[in-house]
Amino acid sequence: MKKTENQMLVIFGASGDLTARKLVPSLFNLFNANQLPKNFIVLGASRSDMTDTAFRKKVVLESKYLKEKFKQKSDKEIEEFANTFFYEDLGSDYDTDYSRLRKRVEDLNNKYKTGGNIMYYLSTPPTLYEPIAKNLADAGLNTQNNGWKRLIVEKPFGYSLETGKALNAGLQKYFTEPQIYRIDHYLGKETVQNLLVTRFANSIFEPLWNRNYIHHVEITNAESVGVEKRGGYYDKSGALRDMFQNHLLQIVSLIVMEPPIGDQPEEIRNEKVKALKSLRIMKDEETLHDHTIRGQYMASTINGEKVKGYREEEGVSADSTTETYAAIKFFVDNWRWKDVPFYVRTAKRMPTKVTEVVIHFKAPHHQIFQDSGLNNKDNKLVIRIQPDEGILMKFGVKVPGQGFKVERANLDFYYSSLAETHVMEAYERLLLDAMQGDATLYARADEVEAAWEFVDPILEYWKNGKDVRMYGYAAGVWGPENADELIDGIGYWRNPGENLADDPGYCVIC
Ligand code: BG6
């Protein structure tokens, strides 16, 4: 097991929602599992005027996100956890002199013996990332001569290739690349990490993982919710920036990548960058027109309840053309994947919340059982990221009786069957990794830039291109009907249900 050194976590934007909803509960899980180092404290920093006691009350003692977790714990243990939290008011602006912050950090470090090791977590709007990094540097809070310093930043990492590059360069002026941890919470999901293990710890999949055997790859990311209270942010972002440029391209890179030399962070990240760089960038309008579809949800009634259309949501402009649905077809220009189409879609207000990868294998090249009903029923490997996490393999079996009628059966594995195992939440895992200096599951600058390089021309075409398609779809359906045109000639999108194996498959296996 890796060692977690004594350290201090400084959270900028500590009075915001992410701190209470994700960061503190994850820290509590680590505390509960004895994963925090012996000397560990959290210093919240933001623009609210709060005492240590008020901060403890807000994010720990009276937090609705911890209520359930506290049921199993004694008052003494809860107090012990709460007492590791401190607060520093930065005044009216994050862009200010940090000498008072420095003094507080030094005092706490001396008192609680955190070894000079500091992890800065920026849970603020991205426009503040560079000013905060600069102010930390100006106050000498980035130097590593007395303990390490790490900087964690949340997405979005830029708004385009240009702004993404500018942000990376801006941060790298004050922190070196190995000190910067770009968090993508999808990489913290067990099932996303398991993509690597499925591929490279088994000898039965990798030999088939190429153009010779794979017909196409389909990835669906659906959410049943709309934009909720984030209309203001989302309207400037859209599905492609919000989900595709980061989370989904990270998943794509794990499917596309070549085997890494080993499991060290740079060995894995080098292969992921190579994979992202091999995505064929769409340049001409005809391809961009034919291979991309965007849509926006419209008002409808779901289970008797009226649901707002996207343009009626709070913070969204009444004539917005921001997409809440994006479907992209693309190819990968390398030896392994030549001519294999990838279909990736992401959307809000779908019938259910689900993320899955489907590897569709080619039909056997010589069809022996032609009249068996096997046509168009390919072997599929379904990797379910969430919910009902698991893996399902669909393969042909003989229907008992005369002749050779073939049907599809399911062979499956469910994470829930590992009842004894505590599956870490994404933020919990990622925080612990950063505390231990393991950047494997964090995005490197060149990965982020390679992803923007692929996405930029699509965004540009959607903004300024000719005949750009924008379809409406009723909230609660699987997107615009026209989305099927993208996958035409191949079949149809697999519209997954809540459960991994909820299709009317034929099953004779116990
Ligand atoms: C976030 C997006 O990164 O991921 C949200 O900004 C989205 O719009 C969320 O809802 C989805 O995450 P998960 O883990 O619930 O699939």
Side-chain angles (χ1 to χ4, degrees):
M1 214 162 89
K2 283 187 201 138
K3 189 167 178 308
T4 316
E5 291 169 316
N6 293 336
Q7 59 194 277
M8 178 185 318
L9 170 65
V10 179
I11 305 176
F12 286 86
S15 53
D17 182 56
L18 184 82
T19 304
R21 193 165 46 88
K22 291 283 180 202
L23 304 184
V24 180
S26 301
L27 290 172
F28 183 72
N29 287 354
L30 294 173
F31 167 81
N32 212 8
N34 274 327
Q35 299 263 28
L36 293 178
K38 186 160 161 279
N39 301 339
F40 176 76
I41 57 165
V42 179
L43 175 63
S46 72
R47 292 171 309 171
S48 314
D49 180 14
M50 253 191 296
T51 58
D52 291 345
T53 316
F55 184 54
R56 286 173 191 171
K57 258 196 193 158
K58 181 179 158 75
V59 300
V60 183
L61 300 170
E62 291 173 5
S63 164
K64 62 178 180 201
Y65 303 107
L66 289 171
K67 243 191 195 141
E68 232 3 77
K69 296 182 190 284
F70 280 170
K71 280 190 181 149
Q72 321 286 337
K73 291 281 152 200
S74 69
D75 288 352
K76 193 168 158 274
E77 284 168 309
I78 295 169
E79 207 185 308
E80 187 193 333
F81 178 66
N83 287 346
T84 57
F85 284 73
F86 300 86
Y87 184 79
E88 179 69 22
D89 178 9
L90 291 174
S92 60
D93 199 344
Y94 283 96
D95 194 1
T96 182
D97 179 60
Y98 285 178
S99 30
R100 215 180 58 216
L101 178 70
R102 182 190 167 127
K103 173 86 179 55
R104 186 77 197 277
V105 163
E106 282 170 356
D107 290 349
L108 288 168
N109 179 51
N110 290 339
K111 185 159 179 204
Y112 295 96
K113 313 231 169 320
T114 48
N117 300 321
I118 309 178
M119 197 154 82
Y120 301 107
Y121 198 114
L122 307 196
S123 173
T124 63
T127 44
L128 293 171
Y129 293 170
E130 195 179 331
I132 293 175
K134 177 181 184 305
N135 293 321
L136 286 170
D138 287 350
L141 284 164
N142 63 342
T143 53
Q144 306 208 82
N145 40 17
N146 174 24
W148 49 255
K149 308 291 177 292
R150 295 176 190 143
L151 184 78
I152 305 188
V153 289
E154 276 282 338
K155 75 165 238 287
F157 314 120
Y159 187 76
S160 59
L161 177 59
E162 195 189 338
T163 53
K165 276 186 170 169
L167 178 62
N168 284 335
L171 293 179
Q172 286 163 351
K173 275 194 250 165
Y174 311 107
F175 287 81
T176 61
E177 179 60 22
Q179 286 178 282
I180 304 171
Y181 289 67
R182 294 174 194 79
I183 201 163
D184 184 307
H185 80 277
Y186 265 58
L187 288 175
K189 293 180 193 275
E190 273 297 331
T191 40
V192 172
Q193 294 154 34
N194 195 43
L195 278 167
L196 281 174
V197 174
T198 303
R199 286 192 58 192
F200 303 126
N202 293 296
S203 54
I204 55 172
F205 297 119
E206 201 45 30
L208 309 182
W209 208 266
N210 57 54
R211 68 185 306 274
N212 297 328
Y213 297 97
I214 293 179
H215 188 268
H216 67 282
V217 176
E218 185 184 350
I219 303 176
T220 294
N221 168 264
E223 287 185 273
S224 48
V225 293
V227 291
E228 300 181 288
K229 293 194 178 120
R230 299 161 70 228
Y233 148 77
Y234 195 89
D235 208 32
K236 291 193 196 68
S237 163
L240 211 64
R241 287 191 180 92
D242 185 50
M243 291 296 302
F244 183 84
Q245 188 274 342
N246 36 73
H247 307 320
L248 294 179
L249 283 184
Q250 283 292 337
I251 294 178
V252 166
S253 71
L254 295 171
I255 295 167
V256 166
M257 70 189 263
E258 292 301 315
I261 302 168
D263 67 355
Q264 290 310 299
E266 296 322 314
E267 290 166 346
I268 292 179
R269 300 203 298 180
N270 287 344
E271 292 305 334
K272 283 171 63 199
V273 177
K274 229 169 80 192
L276 289 168
K277 285 191 171 167
S278 62
L279 306 188
R280 186 186 304 165
I281 295 173
M282 291 181 252
K283 290 191 181 125
D284 60 289
E285 289 221 340
E286 196 184 332
T287 311
L288 285 158
H289 176 272
D290 294 348
H291 289 192
T292 71
I293 288 187
R294 61 182 183 153
Q296 204 179 66
Y297 64 80
M298 321 270 285
S300 81
T301 306
I302 304 175
N303 296 331
E305 225 178 89
K306 279 201 163 31
V307 172
K308 277 189 194 165
Y310 175 66
R311 291 181 181 180
E312 285 115 52
E313 300 275 18
E314 201 187 313
V316 172
S317 136
D319 58 357
S320 169
T321 52
T322 300
E323 76 287 353
T324 60
Y325 177 103
I328 313 286
K329 170 183 178 180
F330 61 88
F331 291 92
V332 180
D333 280 336
N334 66 16
W335 189 272
R336 182 186 289 265
W337 294 108
K338 182 157 171 54
D339 296 335
V340 178
F342 281 66
Y343 300 89
V344 181
R345 62 182 172 161
T346 175
K348 297 220 182 256
R349 281 283 184 228
M350 298 272 101
T352 189
K353 178 172 171 72
V354 61
T355 305
E356 69 172 30
V357 175
V358 188
I359 309 291
H360 295 260
F361 289 92
K362 287 183 175 169
H365 56 273
H366 178 58
Q367 299 275 337
I368 300 171
F369 309 115
Q370 266 162 11
D371 295 324
S372 62
L374 187 67
N375 289 347
N376 294 328
K377 290 186 182 170
D378 50 359
N379 285 119
K380 293 185 190 62
L381 180 69
V382 183
I383 301 166
R384 179 59 80 97
I385 309 289
Q386 61 188 22
D388 203 20
E389 291 81 356
I391 297 188
L392 180 85
M393 176 109 129
K394 289 182 171 295
F395 67 108
V397 293
K398 183 182 170 300
V399 175
Q402 262 192 316
F404 286 100
K405 192 165 163 35
V406 181
E407 260 300 352
R408 288 287 153 211
N410 291 339
L411 198 61
D412 50 41
F413 157 75
Y414 293 90
Y415 269 86
S416 55
S417 64
L418 305 174
E420 298 294 301
T421 315
H422 164 63
V423 177
M424 284 178 129
E425 284 166 25
Y427 272 92
E428 184 184 343
R429 165 71 200 264
L430 293 172
L431 273 176
L432 184 61
D433 279 5
M435 284 177 175
Q436 298 177 337
D438 181 346
T440 314
L441 302 177
Y442 283 84
R444 214 168 57 186
D446 49 358
E447 274 181 66
V448 171
E449 289 172 18
W452 277 123
E453 217 148 316
F454 180 73
V455 166
D456 247 21
I458 305 173
L459 288 168
E460 170 58 26
Y461 169 69
W462 282 358
K463 192 165 163 221
N464 296 319
K466 270 195 273 137
D467 306 325
V468 180
R469 294 185 283 177
M470 166 65 117
Y471 301 109
Y473 60 97
V477 305
W478 281 103
E481 244 179 76
N482 317 58
D484 286 339
E485 287 167 17
L486 201 76
I487 209 158
D488 243 9
I490 287 251
Y492 44 85
W493 293 99
R494 186 183 122 92
N495 289 337
E498 210 173 296
N499 298 317
L500 176 55
D502 60 357
D503 50 356
Y506 177 85
C507 198
V508 284
I509 300 165
C510 304

